[in-house]
Amino acid sequence: MKNKTVLITGASSGIGLHFSHKFAQAGHNVVLVARSEDKLLSLATELEGNYNIKAHVIKADLAEMGASRVIYEQVTSNDIEVDILINNAGFGLFGEFEQTEIEKEVEMIQVNITALTELSKYFGKEMVNRKNGQILNVASTAAFQPGPLMAVYYATKAYVLSLSEALANEWEEHGVQVMALCPGATKTGFSDTAQLQESKLFQSGVMTVEEVVEEAYKQMAHQKKAVIIPGFKNRMLAGSIRFMPRKMVTKIVRKVQERI
Ligand SMILES: NC(=O)c1ccc[n+]([C@@H]2O[C@H](COP(=O)([O-])OP(=O)(O)OC[C@H]3O[C@@H](n4cnc5c(N)ncnc54)[C@H](OP(=O)(O)O)[C@@H]3O)[C@@H](O)[C@H]2O)c1
């Protein structure tokens, strides 16, 4: 991979921040998208200074309808051609469904599903026309089963996995590779946002962003897998639950999700 332009949503922290460093370090230009403009601007200065690449900042709230179109128009009006799209921005929410705020959940669906779908469409169409490109959609190991106490989040990630695998199939013949990255619990700001700090899941060994991004980056270069699951334990879990009754898996997930 040489001298490409990579658009990364959720570049201001966690997995997206590390992807930004990783691609810039490898000599690629980056388009950094998130709400925290100050963080993005100082990241852009750091990346341009350290790696001699171009970093373009787009402040956007992906929970707002139409934000993806604005991002696409800003990119094209700056004559930027996106070779790699990393749909990473996303968040979760812990709680029993009758108690969680519907406004937050609608926002989550907008960010995790709608914006990801729109950006895949806008940039993916151009990639198909050019017969070249990669899209990495950040799903989660949550995508493989229902998730009581985080029901909406798990459902959004199941959508991301399903969409990505279908597009991978459709666009393979057009030279565009679509992948779903499915990390398990990873040390980022995610657990604070989702109020998961005390859940058993996050108390029982999490991966680092470096490990997750390293694995994703390696697999993107190999261009073979449509589904990337970082970590041996996560791969084993995702594989084994396919053979277990769905109701039993759902009960186990609830136990793991519960607070200590
Ligand atoms: N950490 C985990 O355990 C884990 C596991 C599996 C999958 N994932 C997935 O990995 C992805 C990245 O999460 P992370 O763990 O790196 O969490 P994080 O540290 O909280 O980062 C989330 C990123 O998404 C951005 N974002 C959130 N809402 C946004 C909005 N409305 N508009 C634009 N950007 C928004 C945030 O930027 P601003 O706040 O600046 O807008 C931030 O850059 C998510 O899709 C998450 O579901 C995480």
Side-chain angles (χ1 to χ4, degrees):
M1 285 198 258
K2 267 277 156 234
N3 297 327
K4 305 212 164 171
T5 296
V6 189
L7 187 148
I8 302 156
T9 66
S12 62
S13 78
I15 296 171
L17 174 62
H18 201 69
F19 263 123
S20 310
H21 277 279
K22 185 76 193 167
F23 279 105
Q25 196 173 17
H28 304 299
N29 297 325
V30 287
V31 180
L32 310 168
V33 179
R35 290 166 302 184
S36 313
E37 194 176 24
D38 290 354
K39 286 189 192 168
L40 294 184
L41 288 172
S42 64
L43 174 63
T45 309
E46 185 188 345
L47 298 180
E48 286 186 341
N50 288 350
Y51 306 121
N52 193 28
I53 53 106
K54 285 207 173 72
H56 187 90
V57 166
I58 300 180
K59 179 191 174 186
D61 183 349
L62 293 171
E64 282 176 9
M65 274 191 24
S68 306
R69 187 74 209 172
V70 174
I71 293 169
Y72 176 69
E73 280 164 6
Q74 278 200 38
V75 167
T76 45
S77 67
N78 278 285
D79 284 329
I80 298 171
E81 204 170 87
V82 171
D83 303 292
I84 301 175
L85 167 65
I86 312 251
N87 273 315
N88 161 76
F91 70 94
L93 181 66
F94 180 88
E96 291 183 12
F97 187 65
E98 79 281 3
Q99 285 172 12
T100 46
E101 281 174 42
I102 188 63
E103 292 78 8
K104 258 289 162 259
E105 281 157 345
V106 169
E107 222 176 82
M108 191 197 304
I109 292 166
Q110 180 69 29
V111 177
N112 296 10
I113 292 184
T114 310
L116 176 144
T117 308
E118 289 173 335
L119 290 171
S120 298
K121 171 88 76 182
Y122 299 143
F123 291 106
K125 244 180 165 175
E126 292 198 340
M127 292 175 189
V128 166
N129 289 337
R130 292 199 304 267
K131 298 212 163 298
N132 187 32
Q134 284 187 308
I135 298 178
L136 181 85
N137 291 327
V138 181
S140 165
T141 46
F144 299 104
Q145 68 284 302
L149 304 179
M150 283 187 89
V152 177
Y153 177 73
Y154 275 59
T156 65
K157 294 303 182 178
Y159 172 94
V160 174
L161 176 63
S162 175
L163 178 81
S164 306
E165 287 188 278
L167 296 186
N169 174 283
E170 284 190 26
W171 287 351
E172 189 178 12
E173 68 197 60
H174 298 298
V176 179
Q177 200 204 359
V178 182
M179 292 149 284
L181 173 64
C182 301
T186 308
K187 213 179 289 170
T188 66
F190 176 84
S191 54
D192 294 338
T193 310
Q195 297 161 17
L196 276 171
Q197 303 92 327
E198 289 162 31
S199 105
K200 286 179 201 146
L201 182 65
F202 273 79
Q203 300 288 326
S204 64
V206 292
M207 286 181 77
T208 64
V209 280
E210 287 81 3
E211 289 168 325
V212 170
V213 169
E214 213 47 58
E215 177 67 18
Y217 191 82
K218 194 175 80 191
Q219 296 299 342
M220 288 177 85
H222 286 166
Q223 303 201 351
K224 288 206 175 100
K225 290 191 176 168
V227 180
I228 304 165
I229 309 172
F232 179 74
K233 194 176 90 181
N234 292 329
R235 279 194 292 281
M236 286 301 106
L237 280 173
S240 61
I241 56 172
R242 281 193 223 166
F243 305 104
M244 289 163 70
R246 194 93 164 147
K247 198 168 174 185
M248 186 198 287
V249 172
T250 309
K251 274 188 183 170
I252 295 171
V253 175
R254 182 179 178 136
K255 283 273 165 239
V256 177
Q257 287 281 125
E258 277 169 355
R259 291 184 166 140
I260 288 175

